[in-house]
Amino acid sequence: MDASQDNKMNNGTASGEMEERLTSPGEAPAGEAGEGTGQETSSPAGAGAEPVEESNETVGEASQEVLNRLQGELAAKTEALAELQQRYLRLQADFDNYRKRTRREYEELTRLANARLIESLLPILDNLELALAAAAGAEKQALETGVEMTLRQLQEILAREGLMPVAALGQPFNPELHEAVAREETPEPDKINLVVEELRRGYTLHGKLLRPAMVKVAVAAGATEQENKQDPHAANSAPAEE
């Protein structure tokens, strides 16, 4: 057999197989029909039904667990909120009681402080009553001595309470402590802006100004006349601060 005949036989065999395949396109090849169609494709819905039910049951159990957990957390939060509300109400009541007690104590301390001051002034009241009773037949010198003693006693009591007089006479004018109500010209340069007269005494209470001292201040000679020429309304004004 030559090569051309051999090729024809091979081509014929191949063409025959191709014809068999072409004549039965819907049939599976031999050996594969039983594997592809007998078991896997016969009932696909029946094979997946049980896993779907199991999956649904699993999801339902998980949802129930989550719901139970959330309900438990909600109950715990609700209980904690109720406890906080009760604590807030107790604290508010305690604060109101503390505020009322503090106000009562402050009022009581104020009354006691006034009582202590009034008690310290009672001896002065007694001395003034005695001096008034004896004024008719007493000599002038004796009356003056009694009044001076009473005044000194009053000053000592007020000093213990923190009341101190403001230094004014001979001091440089200080607008924070002195109230200038008059001025006096002086030919001496070293006395300019000094307080030359105290018209009313000033006081401080525990270092804080209670009342300024009313004073007369020395100014340079001719200053008043010069200021009157410049500003007629400045004649009675206080001296300028240095």
Side-chain angles (χ1 to χ4, degrees):
M1 183 180 299
D2 55 6
S4 60
Q5 290 178 348
D6 192 7
N7 292 335
K8 288 179 180 178
M9 291 180 65
N10 293 336
N11 293 335
T13 304
S15 60
E17 293 177 357
M18 293 179 63
E19 287 176 355
E20 290 179 359
R21 293 179 179 177
L22 291 174
T23 53
S24 57
E27 297 180 359
E32 298 178 0
E35 298 176 359
T37 59
Q39 298 178 354
E40 295 180 1
T41 60
S42 60
S43 57
E50 293 183 357
V52 170
E53 291 179 356
E54 293 179 356
S55 176
N56 291 335
E57 291 178 356
T58 304
V59 171
E61 292 177 356
S63 300
Q64 186 64 34
E65 291 179 359
V66 172
L67 180 60
N68 293 336
R69 181 172 56 81
L70 292 177
Q71 288 178 346
E73 292 179 355
L74 178 61
K77 298 293 183 183
T78 304
E79 184 179 358
L81 178 61
E83 184 178 356
L84 290 176
Q85 289 177 342
Q86 292 297 326
R87 184 181 301 178
Y88 169 74
L89 293 177
R90 288 194 296 270
L91 289 175
Q92 188 176 16
D94 292 342
F95 179 74
D96 291 339
N97 294 332
Y98 169 76
R99 186 174 53 185
K100 293 177 182 177
R101 184 173 64 254
T102 303
R103 185 172 62 248
R104 288 196 300 269
E105 291 176 354
Y106 176 77
E107 293 174 353
E108 184 66 20
L109 288 175
T110 303
R111 284 195 295 269
L112 292 177
N114 293 335
R116 185 170 57 86
L117 178 61
I118 292 173
E119 184 180 3
S120 62
L121 293 176
L122 290 180
I124 299 176
L125 182 63
D126 295 338
N127 292 336
L128 290 175
E129 289 176 350
L130 292 175
L132 183 62
E139 297 181 358
K140 181 180 178 182
Q141 184 63 33
L143 181 60
E144 183 177 353
T145 303
V147 172
E148 289 179 353
M149 292 176 60
T150 304
L151 176 62
R152 191 180 308 111
Q153 188 178 12
L154 178 60
Q155 290 173 341
E156 292 174 355
I157 293 173
L158 295 178
R160 288 198 298 269
E161 298 297 328
L163 186 70
M164 298 297 294
V166 173
L169 189 61
Q171 299 295 320
F173 174 74
N174 186 351
E176 295 181 355
L177 299 175
H178 306 146
E179 179 183 359
V181 296
R183 58 175 58 186
E184 181 179 287
E185 293 186 357
T186 176
E188 304 177 20
D190 55 342
K191 291 187 178 180
I192 295 175
N193 204 40
L194 295 181
V195 175
V196 295
E197 184 176 355
E198 184 181 46
L199 305 177
R200 188 190 63 185
R201 183 162 296 180
Y203 291 96
T204 60
L205 183 62
H206 297 294
K208 185 177 181 180
L209 183 65
L210 190 64
R211 187 181 71 179
M214 191 177 296
V215 298
K216 179 188 290 185
V217 183
V219 297
T224 304
E225 183 179 359
Q226 185 177 0
E227 290 179 359
N228 290 338
K229 291 180 180 179
Q230 296 176 353
D231 184 5
H233 301 288
N236 296 322
S237 61
E241 182 181 359
E242 288 184 346

